[in-house]
Amino acid sequence: MSLPPRAVIVHRATELTELIARHGTRQQAGFFLAGRGRDLAELDARHQAQQDALATVSAAIPLDWRRAVAERNDLDRFGFGPEDVVIAVGQDGLVANVAKYLDGQPVIGINPEPSRNPGVLVPHEPAAIAGLLTTRTVTERTMVAASTDDGQQLLALNEVYIGHRTHQSARYRLSSPDGLPERQSSSGILVGTGTGSTGWCRSAWQERRSPLALPTPTDPVLCWFVREAWPSPATGTDNTEGLLKAPDSLTITAESDLVVFGDGMESDTLSVSWGQRVEVGVAEVTLCLVA
């Protein structure tokens, strides 16, 4: 007998919750904000908007479904199952945060603050959840995968970063399908998807006025950029950007201690020591985003 679906509601702590946790009391949080020209009422309204959205979503889940709640900071310890339907309530980045832990489960993005959030990955209003749980149109978005030669692997929806833990100079040897191997020193390498090409990768692309055509979210293509490559007698700057199509990959051989993290979650990283290799390419799995 198969298990009924499980609705997993994913959210992150609001700014109000985090401030009260940091300062101990609501009054102290208000005093802190007032000293910086902000009003506690603004955070109250945003907190209430999220609570209302969470309540609407919870009430719409069918009674015969199982349910669970996961906070953003606990995602790396949460066990997702194949029958899960993931409901991300929050900012667009929350979908990227949860995507790396999934393997084909559908994700419904709920936007509690349409006036603040663009809604690229959380396009739905809370009131739409009932219909989306029963009738869904899914689009598959390309993801990026990084794997090391000792078996570690990491997935990301937007981009992965490979570099020094503090973003200072990292030394490594880079090999790409469309360029000669090159020893480099830089502040890290970004490898991003079409979804991520509106964020960190786009910043690198725009700053250097790159001629590359950035991929779209559903293209099985990645873009990559070396950040601030340093020219020296021992390091080069000739091979600093490109596109990757499956099954091609970018190979980075560490010549200093490096980390790999995805979608800005620096708390969940792969550690790479001198001489280890990292392969980055198009992931075999995709994010199933409910349109």
Side-chain angles (χ1 to χ4, degrees):
M1 181 177 179
S2 61
L3 291 172
R6 181 176 69 162
V8 180
I9 302 173
V10 178
H11 68 99
R12 65 175 298 175
T14 63
E15 188 176 0
L16 177 64
T17 302
E18 291 176 339
L19 273 176
I20 293 176
R22 185 182 309 151
H23 295 282
T25 67
R26 177 183 171 82
Q27 289 74 17
Q28 286 293 334
F31 179 78
F32 171 83
L33 287 173
R36 285 153 180 78
R38 298 185 65 189
D39 189 348
L40 193 61
E42 174 200 348
L43 271 64
D44 272 330
R46 295 183 58 199
H47 176 83
Q48 190 59 49
Q50 176 164 302
Q51 294 303 111
D52 290 345
L54 290 171
T56 298
V57 167
S58 181
I61 297 172
L63 294 178
D64 59 339
W65 284 31
R66 295 171 299 139
R67 62 179 67 202
V69 177
E71 209 274 326
R72 175 183 181 272
N73 291 334
D74 299 325
L75 289 174
D76 60 339
R77 299 183 295 275
F78 188 88
F80 289 97
E83 71 287 345
D84 289 346
V85 176
V86 180
I87 309 168
V89 182
Q91 301 172 341
D92 292 290
L94 186 62
V95 174
N97 296 152
V98 72
K100 62 187 293 185
Y101 303 108
L102 303 179
D103 187 7
Q105 296 93 333
V107 179
I108 302 172
I110 299 296
N111 190 350
E113 297 182 89
S115 62
R116 293 182 60 91
N117 302 328
V120 176
L121 298 175
V122 287
H124 305 291
E125 295 183 357
I129 185 63
L132 295 170
L133 288 173
T134 56
T135 305
R136 299 187 292 269
T137 300
V138 174
T139 61
E140 295 188 2
R141 294 204 171 203
T142 298
M143 297 184 69
V144 53
S147 57
T148 65
D149 55 7
D150 63 352
Q152 302 178 78
Q153 188 176 53
L154 181 146
L155 296 173
L157 177 61
N158 287 329
E159 74 282 308
V160 296
Y161 166 87
I162 308 101
H164 194 275
R165 184 176 298 275
T166 63
H167 298 246
Q168 66 185 29
S169 295
R171 288 182 174 267
Y172 52 85
R173 187 174 180 84
L174 181 146
S175 299
S176 67
D178 53 357
L180 295 173
E182 185 172 60
R183 180 171 284 109
Q184 295 180 343
S185 176
S186 77
S187 57
I189 305 164
L190 297 174
V191 187
T193 65
T195 300
S197 66
T198 61
W200 201 356
C201 283
R202 187 174 186 85
S203 176
W205 174 82
Q206 187 168 323
E207 183 178 24
R208 65 179 63 188
R209 296 178 172 85
S210 170
L212 291 179
L214 296 178
T216 69
T218 56
D219 286 339
V221 179
L222 307 176
C223 56
W224 62 272
F225 301 95
V226 176
R227 303 170 64 222
E228 303 166 323
W230 175 253
S232 75
T235 57
T237 60
D238 292 328
N239 195 15
T240 60
E241 65 179 31
L243 298 175
L244 291 172
K245 299 179 180 180
D248 292 339
S249 62
L250 197 68
T251 303
I252 299 98
T253 304
E255 295 187 351
S256 61
D257 288 340
L258 307 177
V259 297
V260 185
F261 63 80
D263 296 331
M265 296 190 70
E266 297 187 45
S267 60
D268 187 10
T269 65
L270 307 182
S271 297
V272 183
S273 58
W274 203 101
Q276 280 193 277
R277 293 192 315 278
V278 183
E279 299 279 345
V280 187
V282 177
E284 294 183 359
V285 299
T286 58
L287 170 70
C288 296
L289 184 65
V290 176

